[in-house]
């Protein structure tokens, strides 16, 4: 069974039996539940919902079903068609819509797709709101519009350009300074919507570029998660030819990774750190990332006189904490940059504009810029458990064992030591505990994670532990 219903939306593989995969009947059901939720909470709204999709092979089919269902619920549809996640988020606000649906499975492989749900601010629904949508879907208490109150369908073809202009107009995106540097970059667009919007941005920044995987076909050239092990193609291109920078995005363009001019990974954790360092140098303030992100952001923030705060994993948790502490920038260590000056959503275009501005201002290469930042390494491990294991009790036991350290328990258990940390959190979809650890070197980080895993496994194998 690959159909996963969660507070953040519904996702699954295409095809198969109803209730087991992402299929037309379940798409109709979940879209109807979302429209019912919007109707209940904004009865006097615009009766308008924005829809956008990434380049996935199944995207056209899914969007037709979503659009038809929304029309049947009496909502006007503004269809952006092929559009990045941040473009769709901005489109909700621009069109004064009551909400939006993004059809994307982000970094998941080509057979997957998903519906991600937005509010009227173009931001993801909160956990409580997502739970309400799930409850409505479960109850199937639906009421469709009669023939005189069906919604109207319209296409929007200028949202990519509007998004690019919003980025170019940000005060800290130094357009002229970037143009003067005559940067040469190589871009891996993974055969999705990045191939459509990134050339628009780079053209207007005066950047010379080569686009790899530039057909928006949804037939991904490699595993679409922008990790080093999946990026050998662009790294080889960087080694063979002279570029100033490599730019990699995921299929919906909300995650961003860089490759330095020497062909080495800049580090996805350091996308946010480097951009934050630049932003804080101009607009001092606070920052936020999730608990599983590098400590380097905290160090950089303090260096600029600000305060760092950690949020539970998940974009909506990060944006909520950012608003709470008045953060000037934040995001996630997976290459997600959230810059409120533009909007509260991960946006690779914003990240590219700010990063190129930092290179232009400091007149550094990417590898030189990386050397100015605190240096840490993160190891990622997992503990596989049987479904009967009491994960909550296990995590409580770990928390008690390390009570003399700085412990955070808003999302699993994170233990902060003086010069390293480890974060254990349960998966929402699998009987596993994810174990992320960070230290000065990858060897130290991996050893720390495995030490904590041994402690956890001793509990699992103790009689009466719930295993």
């Amino acid at each position: 069974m690959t159909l996963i219903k969660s507070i953040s939306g519904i996702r699954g593989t295409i095809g198969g039996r109803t209730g087991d995969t992402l299929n037309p009947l379940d798409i109709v059901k979940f879209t109807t539940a979302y429209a019912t939720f919007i109707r209940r909470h904004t009865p006097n709204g615009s009766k308008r919902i924005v829809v956008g999709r990434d380049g996935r092979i199944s995207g056209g089919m899914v969007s037709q079903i979503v659009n038809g269902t929304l029309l049947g619920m009496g909502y006007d549809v503004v269809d952006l068609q092929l559009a990045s996640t941040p473009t769709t988020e901005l489109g909700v606000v621009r069109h004064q819509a009551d909400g939006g649906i993004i059809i994307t499975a982000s970094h998941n492989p080509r057979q997957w797709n998903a519906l991600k749900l937005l509010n009227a601010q173009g931001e993801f629904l909160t956990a409580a709101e997502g739970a309400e949508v799930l409850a409505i879907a479960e109850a199937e208490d639906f009421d469709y519009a009669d023939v005189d109150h069906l919604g109207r369908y319209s296409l929007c073809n200028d949202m990519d350009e509007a998004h690019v202009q919003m980025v170019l107009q940000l005060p800290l995106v130094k357009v002229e300074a970037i143009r003067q540097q005559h940067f040469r970059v190589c871009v891996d667009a993974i055969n999705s919507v990045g191939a459509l919007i990134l050339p628009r941005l780079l053209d207007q920044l005066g950047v010379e570029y080569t686009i790899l995987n530039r057909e928006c076909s949804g037939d991904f050239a490699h595993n679409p998660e922008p990790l080093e092990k999946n990026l050998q193609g662009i790294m080889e291109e960087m080694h063979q030819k002279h570029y100033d920078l490599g730019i990699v995005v995921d299929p919906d363009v909300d995650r961003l990774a860089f490759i330095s001019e020497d062909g080495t990974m800049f580090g996805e954790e350091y996308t946010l750190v480097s951009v934050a360092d630049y932003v804080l140098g101009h607009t001092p303030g606070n920052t936020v990332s999730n608990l599983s992100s590098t400590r380097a952001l905290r160090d950089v923030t303090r260096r600029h006189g600000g305060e760092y705060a950690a949020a539970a994993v998940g974009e909506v948790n990060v944006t909520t904490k950012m608003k709470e502490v008045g953060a000037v920038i934040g995001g996630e260590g997976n290459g997600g940059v959230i810059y409120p000056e533009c909007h509260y959503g991960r946006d690779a275009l914003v990240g590219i504009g700010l990063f190129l501005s930092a290179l232009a201002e400091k007149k550094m290469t990417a590898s030189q810029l990386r050397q100015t930042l605190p240096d840490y390494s993160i190891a990622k491990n997992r503990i596989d458990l049987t479904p009967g294991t009491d994960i909550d009790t296990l995590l409580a036991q770990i928390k008690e064992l390390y009570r003399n350290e700085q412990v955070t328990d808003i999302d699993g258990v994170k233990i902060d030591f003086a010069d390293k940390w480890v974060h254990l959190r349960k998966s929402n979809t699998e009987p596993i505990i994810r174990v992320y650890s960070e230290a000065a070197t990858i060897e130290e980080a991996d050893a720390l994670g495995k030490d904590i895993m041994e402690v956890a496994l001793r509990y699992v194998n103790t009689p009466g532990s719930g295993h």
Side-chain angles (χ1 to χ4, degrees):
M1 181 172 178
T2 60
L3 184 65
I4 301 169
K5 303 173 185 178
S6 72
I7 57 175
S8 60
I10 182 171
R11 64 188 174 99
T13 55
I14 297 297
R17 297 183 59 82
T18 305
D20 287 340
T21 57
L22 191 64
N23 60 78
L25 286 178
D26 284 307
I27 294 167
V28 169
K29 179 178 175 180
F30 200 77
T31 302
T32 303
Y34 169 70
T36 301
F37 167 85
I38 294 294
R39 180 191 290 162
R40 290 179 183 176
H41 288 270
T42 54
N44 300 313
S46 65
K47 296 290 190 236
R48 186 181 305 122
I49 292 176
V50 170
V51 178
R53 66 180 177 92
D54 71 14
R56 288 170 185 275
I57 295 169
S58 61
M61 179 273 288
V62 177
S63 68
Q64 289 188 49
I65 296 169
V66 167
N67 292 339
T69 303
L70 292 172
L71 296 174
M73 287 294 290
Y75 278 90
D76 294 343
V77 171
V78 179
D79 190 359
L80 307 186
Q81 296 190 307
L82 290 164
S84 75
T85 283
T87 306
T88 307
E89 292 169 347
L90 289 165
V92 171
V93 177
R94 183 167 182 254
H95 289 279
Q96 299 180 319
D98 294 337
I101 296 179
I102 309 168
I103 300 167
T104 175
S106 192
H107 62 272
N108 287 98
R110 65 199 288 275
Q111 68 270 28
W112 288 80
N113 216 328
L115 309 184
K116 296 184 178 181
L117 311 177
L118 304 174
N119 61 21
Q121 289 73 48
E123 300 168 16
F124 289 116
L125 300 187
T126 65
E129 291 167 339
E132 185 176 342
V133 173
L134 288 176
I136 294 170
E138 187 68 25
E140 295 191 30
D141 184 15
F142 303 149
D143 185 10
Y144 292 94
D146 62 38
V147 70
D148 295 315
H149 296 90
L150 297 174
R152 294 172 297 177
Y153 175 86
S154 63
L155 281 173
C156 172
N157 297 314
D158 65 350
M159 196 58 223
D160 275 3
E161 184 60 26
H163 184 182
V164 169
Q165 291 304 317
M166 289 178 197
V167 174
L168 296 176
Q169 290 165 16
L170 292 170
L172 290 187
V173 174
K174 306 296 185 181
V175 177
E176 287 306 318
I178 294 171
R179 287 173 177 165
Q180 290 171 14
Q181 292 301 308
H182 304 290
F183 288 118
R184 291 188 71 243
V185 305
C186 185
V187 179
D188 185 346
I190 195 61
N191 290 333
S192 191
V193 291
L196 303 178
I197 195 168
L198 293 185
R200 287 178 177 265
L201 175 67
L202 297 174
D203 281 338
Q204 298 198 50
L205 288 172
V207 174
E208 182 183 341
Y209 56 86
T210 297
I211 307 286
L212 306 181
N213 306 315
R214 66 177 305 157
E215 300 298 323
C216 189
S217 63
D219 195 5
F220 304 143
H222 53 77
N223 185 309
E225 189 166 12
L227 302 176
E228 180 172 1
K229 64 182 180 180
N230 302 326
L231 303 178
Q232 296 309 305
I234 186 172
M235 293 179 77
E236 184 176 334
E237 173 79 7
M238 293 285 293
H239 278 297
Q240 290 178 353
K241 301 177 184 176
H242 175 70
Y243 294 98
D244 297 302
L245 187 67
I247 298 173
V248 182
V249 294
D250 65 342
D252 67 327
V253 199
D254 63 354
R255 287 176 61 173
L256 172 65
F258 295 119
I259 300 171
S260 296
E261 78 288 346
D262 59 2
T264 61
M265 289 295 295
F266 190 81
E268 66 166 357
E269 288 285 337
Y270 282 83
T271 298
L272 173 59
V273 177
S274 58
V275 170
D277 186 46
Y278 169 69
V279 169
L280 292 169
H282 292 269
T283 52
N286 300 329
T287 66
V288 173
S289 64
N290 67 41
L291 286 171
S292 286
S293 299
T294 179
R295 184 179 280 185
L297 181 61
R298 183 203 68 176
D299 295 354
V300 164
T301 305
R302 290 178 177 176
R303 190 163 72 192
H304 287 283
E307 291 296 327
Y308 165 80
V313 173
E315 182 173 325
V316 68
N317 297 319
V318 174
T319 56
T320 299
K321 178 62 74 171
M322 288 178 68
K323 294 173 185 178
E324 180 185 315
V325 303
V328 297
I329 191 165
E332 298 182 293
N334 60 11
V337 174
I338 302 173
Y339 187 44
E341 185 78 12
C342 188
H343 66 122
Y344 278 102
R346 295 183 302 179
D347 191 328
L349 275 73
V350 170
I352 291 167
L354 294 172
F355 189 83
L356 289 175
S357 297
L359 291 182
E361 178 181 89
K362 299 178 181 182
K363 292 183 169 52
M364 291 180 173
T365 64
S367 60
Q368 288 170 340
L369 178 61
R370 176 66 177 80
Q371 290 171 7
T372 68
L373 303 171
D375 197 21
Y376 295 100
S377 295
I378 289 182
K380 299 180 179 182
N381 291 291
R382 57 187 275 174
I383 303 172
D384 293 285
L385 305 170
T386 63
T389 301
D390 187 341
I391 299 177
D392 291 330
T393 301
L394 187 159
L395 292 175
Q397 190 84 358
I398 296 292
K399 178 183 173 183
E400 175 62 21
L401 286 171
Y402 291 93
R403 63 185 180 278
N404 293 327
E405 305 294 340
Q406 180 183 335
V407 176
T408 307
D409 62 358
I410 58 172
D411 183 10
V413 174
K414 182 176 184 181
I415 308 160
D416 271 291
F417 303 94
D419 57 351
K420 53 194 173 185
W421 58 260
V422 63
H423 183 205
L424 300 88
R425 61 185 296 267
K426 63 179 179 180
S427 168
N428 293 323
T429 59
E430 303 173 84
I432 67 171
I433 294 177
R434 303 192 187 280
V435 183
Y436 288 9
S437 49
E438 181 176 71
T441 67
I442 190 64
E443 292 79 14
E444 291 178 70
D446 193 52
L448 172 62
K450 287 176 177 172
D451 285 346
I452 300 293
M453 289 168 65
E454 283 187 20
V455 173
L457 289 170
R458 281 202 298 271
Y459 166 79
V460 170
N461 295 321
T462 300
S465 65
H467 180 68

